[in-house]
Amino acid sequence: MTAVAPAVAEPPVAWYRRPSTWVWAALAATLALYAVLAWRRRWMSDDGLLVLRTVRQILAGHGPVFNVGERVEASTSPLWTWLLAGAGGITGATLEWLAVVLGLVCAVGGLFFGLDSARRLYGGATVVPAGALVVCALPPFRDFATSGLETGLALLWIGLSWWLLVRGKAPFATAVVLGLGPLVRPDLALFGIVAFAALVWLRRPGVRRGAAWFGAGVALPLAYQVFRMGFYGLLVPNTALAKEAGDANWARGFAYLLDLVGPYYLWVPLLLLAVVVALTRRSRILTLAPVLAAVLLTVYVVRVGGDFMHARMLLPALFSLLLPVMAVPFTRRTVALLAAVAVWSVAAAGWLRVPYANEHLSTGVTDERAYWSWDTGKAHPVLASDFLGQPIARAAVEAVDNTHKPAVLVYSYDEKRWYTFPTDRPYVTMATDSMGAISNLVSLDVRVHDGYGLASDLAAHTVSIPGGRPGHSKWLIAAWEIADAGQGDYATDGLSHVFAPADIDAARQALRCPGIQDVLASTRTPLTFSRFVDNFTGAAGRTQIRFDRDPHAAAAC
């Protein structure tokens, strides 16, 4: 009988010799790099401040409204609005800084989930953060990690959703998270639908279990939709009406897509990373699901004509497209391709920029961060008070401060001054354009209406201006505000200013039209149970109401 020699234990491998150590080090370094680069570009957009006006109303006990006494959903992302309200109520922190920091944390969190998902997707392979370098390199990803908008939350939700799919556990919880997409942004429902289909395909549940998952996913967005229809009286956020998110403008949308792809030669890293994926095949469903979602999100943005902020609307789609390659295997076959991606990343981060980066125009597609930094004179405009460096904002606040009784304030763009009109309402009404900062610098009981329709129940229902600016294609002249809240056709000095009395009288007549009366009743009459029911049942028809911005044409009803 032969004796068996005892097995000799392998000596433990030093931590610095383990491939996993260096993988995690590379991922951590990438996250730190993105956080630092985004923080160096910290800022608050005027649209981000628009969200904070609603947050302030919530914290003041007035509910999710932009103006007291008007139920208008002026924020596209309910989840972002309530997240800020909750964090603000708990911490008592300055809301502007809270929005900046929370947005950055969400964006970095989204990148973490994307990186860890890709690491899991490729099993035990040694991976490098190639796709994440694209995120770090592109200026729009750095700019909108802060900005006060919901972009960071969108990246977090997309990254977390894919992480849950790749992890392959807790399908019920995964379905609940996927259902939150429309509450982050309505168009993210497209990603949620694709991801849920992938979940069902991968797990193959029975009919009852699949139905339970579906019910868990749609419960929260469905409940909010009932609230939206009954409280606001519309099927969609007011901002969707203002931007006519249901209309098609393919030519302008395709130009918006090229505005992102062209200046950064974005096709270069995407092509290189596509080859890497072909060389390192993994689960087809987990690879194709975010790619399909990215295509659908891109098609939607192109169809609606894009936006006026460079790249912002396309960032969720691009982030989704990069998910399968956030981190990819580092092998002999991929090393040259990954080196090329690294070279592109350096060039994009340091030198590649849009051709209008230093033009500071408020028309067409713009570099929004560069514009507001220039217009406010602040390298990092964050607080609403930082926007007092802009002459129009400063003059608007001064006009309100100098109004010691209720009035209607109207700005003359020709004379560069504010005029005061009398009112029989117990509050001040202000008709302005970019009102995010202004609305946070005046009292919450001042009713601030914008001609673009983002926070105005009237302007949102006007017809668009043909060839108007993307996202700002509506403009309701302030004669409507004088007719609605003013008393008479003349300013407090007894003279006619800005608009002829005939224009104001025509607007006053148009306000009596049944459709416009229905809109105003849905937002301004007290919210009783019967009002909620009327709002809910009439939401579909009310969402379709449009009238001419010209008061003389609109007066014909």
Side-chain angles (χ1 to χ4, degrees):
M1 189 171 181
T2 305
V4 179
V8 179
E10 291 287 339
V13 180
W15 65 269
Y16 55 85
R17 292 182 180 274
R18 299 171 192 163
S20 60
T21 298
W22 297 106
V23 167
W24 280 111
L27 301 189
T30 304
L31 293 172
L33 175 64
Y34 182 49
V36 170
L37 291 175
W39 180 254
R40 293 183 63 182
R41 300 282 293 175
R42 63 192 179 277
W43 70 301
M44 174 67 67
S45 67
D46 190 72
D47 280 32
L49 288 168
L50 187 152
V51 176
L52 293 188
R53 165 81 170 198
T54 300
V55 173
R56 285 190 163 94
Q57 296 285 20
I58 293 172
L59 295 178
H62 301 143
V65 299
F66 192 82
N67 292 312
V68 177
E70 297 177 359
R71 295 181 299 277
V72 174
E73 188 176 14
S75 302
T76 303
S77 175
L79 193 57
W80 179 238
T81 300
W82 284 99
L83 182 63
L84 290 174
I90 293 171
T91 65
T94 302
L95 289 179
E96 293 95 327
W97 280 111
L98 183 65
V100 166
V101 173
L102 196 56
L104 178 59
V105 170
C106 287
V108 174
L111 186 59
F112 164 76
F113 283 117
L115 282 166
D116 191 52
S117 300
R119 182 190 66 83
R120 291 171 180 266
L121 181 66
Y122 294 107
T126 300
V127 295
V128 292
L133 283 182
V134 178
V135 175
C136 293
L138 286 176
F141 271 119
R142 305 200 300 265
D143 288 354
F144 290 103
T146 56
S147 84
L149 293 168
E150 75 284 346
T151 306
L153 180 61
L155 301 186
L156 174 62
W157 177 80
I158 291 171
L160 175 60
S161 297
W162 197 57
W163 183 81
L164 289 169
L165 277 179
V166 174
R167 187 167 175 263
K169 300 179 181 179
F172 192 87
T174 301
V176 172
V177 171
L178 294 178
L180 296 177
L183 301 182
V184 179
R185 280 194 63 87
D187 48 306
L188 289 183
L190 295 171
F191 185 100
I193 292 170
V194 173
F196 184 79
L199 174 66
V200 172
W201 183 272
L202 291 168
R203 300 301 295 264
R204 306 294 176 94
V207 175
R208 289 185 179 180
R209 181 170 293 183
W213 295 355
F214 180 79
V218 301
L220 286 175
L222 184 60
Y224 185 80
Q225 184 63 19
V226 171
F227 167 78
R228 169 183 282 149
M229 294 168 65
F231 189 80
Y232 298 111
L234 296 174
L235 292 177
V236 296
N238 202 69
T239 50
L241 286 191
K243 299 184 179 186
E244 292 294 0
D247 289 353
N249 193 327
W250 292 97
R252 191 175 69 186
F254 189 66
Y256 185 71
L257 176 61
L258 293 180
D259 185 67
L260 170 61
V261 175
Y264 308 111
Y265 299 92
L266 189 55
W267 58 270
V268 172
L270 295 182
L271 181 60
L272 292 170
L273 292 172
V275 175
V276 171
V277 170
L279 293 175
T280 56
R281 294 180 180 177
R282 284 297 185 270
S283 169
R284 290 185 178 181
I285 297 300
L286 290 175
T287 300
L288 292 178
V291 173
L292 176 58
V295 171
L296 293 178
L297 288 170
T298 301
V299 170
Y300 170 77
V301 173
V302 171
R303 182 187 182 278
V304 301
D307 191 43
F308 68 95
M309 297 188 197
H310 165 65
R312 182 178 80 94
M313 290 291 290
L314 288 168
L315 293 183
L318 180 55
F319 192 78
S320 178
L321 184 64
L322 290 170
L323 286 176
V325 293
M326 282 295 182
V328 294
F330 184 80
T331 67
R332 291 180 179 179
R333 294 197 298 172
T334 63
V335 61
L337 297 167
L338 298 177
V341 172
V343 171
W344 173 89
S345 298
V346 173
W351 294 279
L352 299 181
R353 296 292 183 271
V354 291
Y356 49 81
N358 297 314
E359 293 182 5
H360 309 309
L361 300 177
S362 58
T363 57
V365 180
T366 61
D367 181 337
E368 193 74 354
R369 187 196 181 283
Y371 173 81
W372 285 112
S373 294
W374 166 79
D375 202 29
T376 61
K378 301 281 187 178
H380 302 286
V382 172
L383 301 175
S385 57
D386 291 338
F387 286 70
L388 288 172
Q390 183 197 36
I392 292 180
R394 185 170 60 251
V397 175
E398 292 174 351
V400 173
D401 290 342
N402 293 331
T403 303
H404 303 294
K405 62 180 181 178
V408 178
L409 298 177
V410 174
Y411 188 71
S412 170
Y413 291 90
D414 293 330
E415 302 176 49
K416 308 297 182 184
R417 60 162 294 181
W418 288 88
Y419 283 102
T420 304
F421 288 77
T423 182
D424 57 0
R425 309 283 177 86
Y427 50 79
V428 173
T429 299
M430 169 175 280
T432 182
D433 48 20
S434 297
M435 78 301 189
I438 293 173
S439 67
N440 283 274
L441 291 168
V442 300
S443 172
L444 291 177
D445 59 0
V446 174
R447 299 199 180 187
V448 184
H449 294 157
D450 63 311
Y452 301 129
L454 299 174
S456 168
D457 48 6
L458 277 176
H461 287 271
T462 59
V463 296
S464 298
I465 302 172
R469 189 184 188 192
H472 282 173
S473 60
K474 296 187 176 184
W475 183 253
L476 189 69
I477 60 174
W480 289 85
E481 300 294 345
I482 301 171
D484 180 32
Q487 191 174 28
D489 301 334
Y490 298 94
T492 52
D493 62 4
L495 301 177
S496 173
H497 293 290
V498 191
F499 300 105
D503 296 332
I504 300 172
D505 289 340
R508 192 173 289 115
Q509 181 178 346
L511 287 170
R512 302 188 187 101
C513 292
I516 298 179
Q517 282 291 303
D518 182 35
V519 169
L520 296 180
S522 70
T523 60
R524 301 184 185 183
T525 57
L527 188 65
T528 61
F529 179 75
S530 61
R531 179 73 261 167
F532 187 95
V533 172
D534 287 344
N535 278 3
F536 181 86
T537 56
R542 196 175 299 111
T543 301
Q544 302 302 318
I545 292 175
R546 298 292 185 276
F547 57 90
D548 201 293
R549 58 190 290 268
D550 180 354
H552 297 279
C557 298

